[in-house]
Amino acid sequence: MKKFTISVLAASAIASLALVQLATAHVDRPTAATATTVQVKGGEFFFKLSTKSAARPGKVTFVFKNTGHVLHDFSIHGKKTPLIQPGKTAKLVVSFTKIGKYGYLCTVPGHAQAGMKGTFTVR
Ligand SMILES: [Cu+2]
């Protein structure tokens, strides 16, 4: 948790400012209100996200569950999970410092073309 807080502070001046304000308002859980968690389910050959956007730039935790029958991963914005066994879950924390559209995909050859891809929007 210490590492997480430090990297959030380093992410950008704007993020740091927001965090300081939140820390003042919610001393017990300073990062709770800025955290976006997205549940990701992936299988042959699709991804289903609990939400396809974040309300603002910042950290997003993708919780990827492989609901398929072969190995898959989840990759976005230059980061990716390891290859995940069927039924298993992996977390991927990604910093989005800018508003924009970010493509995600499974990097196993052929899987993105078969449907394991999409776009995540940071507003
Ligand atoms: Cu895949």
Side-chain angles (χ1 to χ4, degrees):
M1 211 52 199
K2 222 171 215 174
K3 260 189 190 166
F4 177 80
T5 305
I6 289 164
S7 50
V8 166
L9 284 169
S12 76
I14 293 167
S16 303
L17 256 177
L19 193 66
V20 168
Q21 286 171 354
L22 284 164
T24 310
H26 307 283
V27 176
D28 52 337
R29 294 185 67 190
T31 59
T34 55
T36 300
T37 299
V38 180
Q39 306 294 332
V40 180
K41 287 179 181 172
E44 300 82 45
F45 289 96
F46 67 91
F47 279 120
K48 189 170 186 289
L49 277 60
S50 59
T51 177
K52 292 187 77 176
S53 66
R56 63 190 68 80
K59 292 245 175 192
V60 177
T61 301
F62 295 94
V63 182
F64 170 49
K65 179 167 188 186
N66 182 352
T67 60
H69 304 282
V70 300
L71 293 170
H72 295 293
D73 64 15
F74 179 78
S75 175
I76 186 168
H77 197 33
K79 299 191 88 177
K80 65 175 181 177
T81 65
L83 282 169
I84 304 303
Q85 297 278 354
K88 301 292 185 186
T89 297
K91 277 188 188 179
L92 186 68
V93 180
V94 182
S95 270
F96 297 99
T97 56
K98 290 181 182 168
I99 287 167
K101 292 185 183 297
Y102 298 86
Y104 57 82
L105 75 161
C106 174
T107 70
V108 176
H111 287 198
Q113 291 88 330
M116 296 190 75
K117 63 180 175 181
T119 303
F120 184 78
T121 302
V122 177
R123 298 186 191 285

mmCIF file of all heavy atoms in Angstrom, residues 42-47 64 66 70-74 83 105-112 116, ligand 1:
data_model
loop_
_atom_site.group_PDB
_atom_site.id
_atom_site.type_symbol
_atom_site.label_atom_id
_atom_site.label_comp_id
_atom_site.label_asym_id
_atom_site.label_seq_id
_atom_site.Cartn_x
_atom_site.Cartn_y
_atom_site.Cartn_z
ATOM 1 N N GLY A 42 -12.604 -12.443 -19.388
ATOM 2 C CA GLY A 42 -12.156 -12.733 -20.748
ATOM 3 C C GLY A 42 -12.166 -14.211 -21.025
ATOM 4 O O GLY A 42 -11.884 -15.034 -20.146
ATOM 5 N N GLY A 43 -12.529 -14.562 -22.244
ATOM 6 C CA GLY A 43 -12.546 -15.966 -22.671
ATOM 7 C C GLY A 43 -12.490 -16.014 -24.185
ATOM 8 O O GLY A 43 -12.126 -15.028 -24.827
ATOM 9 N N GLU A 44 -12.912 -17.157 -24.742
ATOM 10 C CA GLU A 44 -12.814 -17.331 -26.197
ATOM 11 C C GLU A 44 -14.083 -16.781 -26.857
ATOM 12 O O GLU A 44 -15.129 -17.395 -26.708
ATOM 13 C CB GLU A 44 -12.613 -18.801 -26.547
ATOM 14 C CG GLU A 44 -11.355 -19.405 -25.941
ATOM 15 C CD GLU A 44 -11.544 -19.831 -24.479
ATOM 16 O OE1 GLU A 44 -12.569 -20.457 -24.173
ATOM 17 O OE2 GLU A 44 -10.688 -19.515 -23.649
ATOM 18 N N PHE A 45 -14.034 -15.742 -27.596
ATOM 19 C CA PHE A 45 -12.940 -14.779 -27.699
ATOM 20 C C PHE A 45 -13.564 -13.411 -27.480
ATOM 21 O O PHE A 45 -14.090 -12.809 -28.393
ATOM 22 C CB PHE A 45 -12.254 -14.838 -29.081
ATOM 23 C CG PHE A 45 -11.444 -16.098 -29.251
ATOM 24 C CD1 PHE A 45 -11.988 -17.199 -29.907
ATOM 25 C CD2 PHE A 45 -10.167 -16.183 -28.712
ATOM 26 C CE1 PHE A 45 -11.243 -18.363 -30.042
ATOM 27 C CE2 PHE A 45 -9.422 -17.346 -28.859
ATOM 28 C CZ PHE A 45 -9.963 -18.451 -29.513
ATOM 29 N N PHE A 46 -13.528 -12.984 -26.255
ATOM 30 C CA PHE A 46 -14.204 -11.736 -25.867
ATOM 31 C C PHE A 46 -13.550 -11.177 -24.605
ATOM 32 O O PHE A 46 -12.856 -11.895 -23.872
ATOM 33 C CB PHE A 46 -15.689 -12.002 -25.574
ATOM 34 C CG PHE A 46 -15.879 -12.871 -24.350
ATOM 35 C CD1 PHE A 46 -16.038 -12.303 -23.089
ATOM 36 C CD2 PHE A 46 -15.852 -14.255 -24.450
ATOM 37 C CE1 PHE A 46 -16.168 -13.100 -21.947
ATOM 38 C CE2 PHE A 46 -15.984 -15.060 -23.316
ATOM 39 C CZ PHE A 46 -16.139 -14.470 -22.068
ATOM 40 N N PHE A 47 -13.795 -9.897 -24.352
ATOM 41 C CA PHE A 47 -13.582 -9.300 -23.040
ATOM 42 C C PHE A 47 -14.890 -8.636 -22.644
ATOM 43 O O PHE A 47 -15.573 -8.027 -23.474
ATOM 44 C CB PHE A 47 -12.491 -8.222 -23.072
ATOM 45 C CG PHE A 47 -11.093 -8.749 -23.027
ATOM 46 C CD1 PHE A 47 -10.206 -8.498 -24.058
ATOM 47 C CD2 PHE A 47 -10.642 -9.493 -21.934
ATOM 48 C CE1 PHE A 47 -8.910 -8.965 -24.021
ATOM 49 C CE2 PHE A 47 -9.338 -9.970 -21.888
ATOM 50 C CZ PHE A 47 -8.472 -9.705 -22.934
ATOM 51 N N PHE A 64 -8.601 -8.909 -13.808
ATOM 52 C CA PHE A 64 -8.884 -9.768 -14.969
ATOM 53 C C PHE A 64 -9.100 -11.205 -14.538
ATOM 54 O O PHE A 64 -8.231 -11.831 -13.934
ATOM 55 C CB PHE A 64 -7.724 -9.688 -15.965
ATOM 56 C CG PHE A 64 -7.795 -10.715 -17.071
ATOM 57 C CD1 PHE A 64 -8.961 -10.903 -17.806
ATOM 58 C CD2 PHE A 64 -6.702 -11.501 -17.366
ATOM 59 C CE1 PHE A 64 -9.036 -11.864 -18.808
ATOM 60 C CE2 PHE A 64 -6.756 -12.457 -18.368
ATOM 61 C CZ PHE A 64 -7.929 -12.642 -19.086
ATOM 62 N N ASN A 66 -9.883 -14.935 -16.091
ATOM 63 C CA ASN A 66 -9.965 -15.765 -17.287
ATOM 64 C C ASN A 66 -11.126 -16.737 -17.118
ATOM 65 O O ASN A 66 -11.043 -17.698 -16.360
ATOM 66 C CB ASN A 66 -8.649 -16.524 -17.484
ATOM 67 C CG ASN A 66 -8.662 -17.373 -18.737
ATOM 68 O OD1 ASN A 66 -9.694 -17.524 -19.403
ATOM 69 N ND2 ASN A 66 -7.507 -17.941 -19.055
ATOM 70 N N VAL A 70 -8.619 -21.630 -22.236
ATOM 71 C CA VAL A 70 -7.190 -21.626 -22.582
ATOM 72 C C VAL A 70 -6.546 -20.397 -21.939
ATOM 73 O O VAL A 70 -7.224 -19.549 -21.368
ATOM 74 C CB VAL A 70 -6.969 -21.611 -24.119
ATOM 75 C CG1 VAL A 70 -7.610 -22.837 -24.769
ATOM 76 C CG2 VAL A 70 -7.521 -20.326 -24.741
ATOM 77 N N LEU A 71 -5.215 -20.289 -22.034
ATOM 78 C CA LEU A 71 -4.498 -19.164 -21.455
ATOM 79 C C LEU A 71 -4.860 -17.848 -22.152
ATOM 80 O O LEU A 71 -4.977 -17.801 -23.369
ATOM 81 C CB LEU A 71 -2.981 -19.381 -21.596
ATOM 82 C CG LEU A 71 -2.369 -20.521 -20.794
ATOM 83 C CD1 LEU A 71 -0.917 -20.742 -21.244
ATOM 84 C CD2 LEU A 71 -2.407 -20.205 -19.306
ATOM 85 N N HIS A 72 -5.016 -16.794 -21.331
ATOM 86 C CA HIS A 72 -5.240 -15.452 -21.867
ATOM 87 C C HIS A 72 -4.478 -14.446 -21.012
ATOM 88 O O HIS A 72 -4.155 -14.733 -19.848
ATOM 89 C CB HIS A 72 -6.728 -15.070 -21.822
ATOM 90 C CG HIS A 72 -7.599 -15.912 -22.689
ATOM 91 N ND1 HIS A 72 -7.532 -15.899 -24.068
ATOM 92 C CD2 HIS A 72 -8.569 -16.804 -22.374
ATOM 93 C CE1 HIS A 72 -8.433 -16.739 -24.564
ATOM 94 N NE2 HIS A 72 -9.068 -17.305 -23.552
ATOM 95 N N ASP A 73 -4.255 -13.259 -21.581
ATOM 96 C CA ASP A 73 -3.769 -12.142 -20.774
ATOM 97 C C ASP A 73 -4.620 -10.918 -21.086
ATOM 98 O O ASP A 73 -5.533 -10.969 -21.927
ATOM 99 C CB ASP A 73 -2.265 -11.879 -20.978
ATOM 100 C CG ASP A 73 -1.906 -11.448 -22.396
ATOM 101 O OD1 ASP A 73 -2.815 -11.071 -23.183
ATOM 102 O OD2 ASP A 73 -0.708 -11.492 -22.729
ATOM 103 N N PHE A 74 -4.334 -9.835 -20.361
ATOM 104 C CA PHE A 74 -5.051 -8.579 -20.588
ATOM 105 C C PHE A 74 -4.013 -7.482 -20.651
ATOM 106 O O PHE A 74 -3.212 -7.309 -19.723
ATOM 107 C CB PHE A 74 -6.032 -8.314 -19.439
ATOM 108 C CG PHE A 74 -6.788 -7.007 -19.594
ATOM 109 C CD1 PHE A 74 -7.863 -6.907 -20.465
ATOM 110 C CD2 PHE A 74 -6.414 -5.878 -18.870
ATOM 111 C CE1 PHE A 74 -8.559 -5.710 -20.621
ATOM 112 C CE2 PHE A 74 -7.097 -4.666 -19.019
ATOM 113 C CZ PHE A 74 -8.176 -4.590 -19.894
ATOM 114 N N LEU A 83 0.255 -14.429 -18.527
ATOM 115 C CA LEU A 83 -0.752 -15.338 -19.076
ATOM 116 C C LEU A 83 -1.462 -16.002 -17.905
ATOM 117 O O LEU A 83 -0.823 -16.515 -16.988
ATOM 118 C CB LEU A 83 -0.086 -16.390 -19.962
ATOM 119 C CG LEU A 83 0.299 -15.920 -21.357
ATOM 120 C CD1 LEU A 83 1.184 -16.958 -22.036
ATOM 121 C CD2 LEU A 83 -0.935 -15.629 -22.207
ATOM 122 N N LEU A 105 -6.291 -5.468 -25.246
ATOM 123 C CA LEU A 105 -6.338 -6.705 -26.019
ATOM 124 C C LEU A 105 -5.699 -7.855 -25.256
ATOM 125 O O LEU A 105 -5.006 -7.642 -24.253
ATOM 126 C CB LEU A 105 -5.622 -6.547 -27.369
ATOM 127 C CG LEU A 105 -4.081 -6.538 -27.358
ATOM 128 C CD1 LEU A 105 -3.547 -6.834 -28.741
ATOM 129 C CD2 LEU A 105 -3.535 -5.210 -26.874
ATOM 130 N N CYS A 106 -5.941 -9.051 -25.740
ATOM 131 C CA CYS A 106 -5.208 -10.248 -25.317
ATOM 132 C C CYS A 106 -4.078 -10.403 -26.323
ATOM 133 O O CYS A 106 -4.305 -10.337 -27.532
ATOM 134 C CB CYS A 106 -6.113 -11.473 -25.336
ATOM 135 S SG CYS A 106 -5.230 -13.016 -24.993
ATOM 136 N N THR A 107 -2.845 -10.595 -25.809
ATOM 137 C CA THR A 107 -1.682 -10.629 -26.711
ATOM 138 C C THR A 107 -1.374 -12.022 -27.247
ATOM 139 O O THR A 107 -0.406 -12.188 -27.989
ATOM 140 C CB THR A 107 -0.419 -10.056 -26.023
ATOM 141 O OG1 THR A 107 0.017 -10.961 -25.006
ATOM 142 C CG2 THR A 107 -0.679 -8.673 -25.434
ATOM 143 N N VAL A 108 -2.144 -13.025 -26.875
ATOM 144 C CA VAL A 108 -1.927 -14.359 -27.445
ATOM 145 C C VAL A 108 -2.229 -14.268 -28.949
ATOM 146 O O VAL A 108 -3.266 -13.726 -29.328
ATOM 147 C CB VAL A 108 -2.840 -15.422 -26.784
ATOM 148 C CG1 VAL A 108 -2.653 -16.778 -27.459
ATOM 149 C CG2 VAL A 108 -2.542 -15.512 -25.287
ATOM 150 N N PRO A 109 -1.301 -14.756 -29.792
ATOM 151 C CA PRO A 109 -1.488 -14.607 -31.246
ATOM 152 C C PRO A 109 -2.868 -15.092 -31.706
ATOM 153 O O PRO A 109 -3.291 -16.190 -31.360
ATOM 154 C CB PRO A 109 -0.369 -15.477 -31.833
ATOM 155 C CG PRO A 109 0.713 -15.414 -30.791
ATOM 156 C CD PRO A 109 -0.025 -15.391 -29.465
ATOM 157 N N GLY A 110 -3.545 -14.198 -32.450
ATOM 158 C CA GLY A 110 -4.840 -14.550 -33.016
ATOM 159 C C GLY A 110 -6.031 -14.171 -32.148
ATOM 160 O O GLY A 110 -7.143 -14.024 -32.645
ATOM 161 N N HIS A 111 -5.813 -14.001 -30.840
ATOM 162 C CA HIS A 111 -6.949 -13.776 -29.938
ATOM 163 C C HIS A 111 -7.597 -12.406 -30.129
ATOM 164 O O HIS A 111 -8.827 -12.300 -30.100
ATOM 165 C CB HIS A 111 -6.519 -13.962 -28.487
ATOM 166 C CG HIS A 111 -6.292 -15.401 -28.124
ATOM 167 N ND1 HIS A 111 -6.244 -15.864 -26.833
ATOM 168 C CD2 HIS A 111 -6.092 -16.477 -28.924
ATOM 169 C CE1 HIS A 111 -6.029 -17.178 -26.840
ATOM 170 N NE2 HIS A 111 -5.911 -17.565 -28.093
ATOM 171 N N ALA A 112 -6.773 -11.350 -30.300
ATOM 172 C CA ALA A 112 -7.347 -10.019 -30.503
ATOM 173 C C ALA A 112 -8.168 -10.007 -31.799
ATOM 174 O O ALA A 112 -9.310 -9.521 -31.809
ATOM 175 C CB ALA A 112 -6.246 -8.966 -30.550
ATOM 176 N N MET A 116 -10.853 -10.548 -28.855
ATOM 177 C CA MET A 116 -10.393 -10.149 -27.523
ATOM 178 C C MET A 116 -9.686 -8.790 -27.578
ATOM 179 O O MET A 116 -8.465 -8.677 -27.402
ATOM 180 C CB MET A 116 -9.464 -11.216 -26.915
ATOM 181 C CG MET A 116 -10.186 -12.539 -26.675
ATOM 182 S SD MET A 116 -9.219 -13.707 -25.715
ATOM 183 C CE MET A 116 -9.351 -13.006 -24.069
HETATM 184 CU CU CU B 1 -6.604 -14.664 -25.258
#
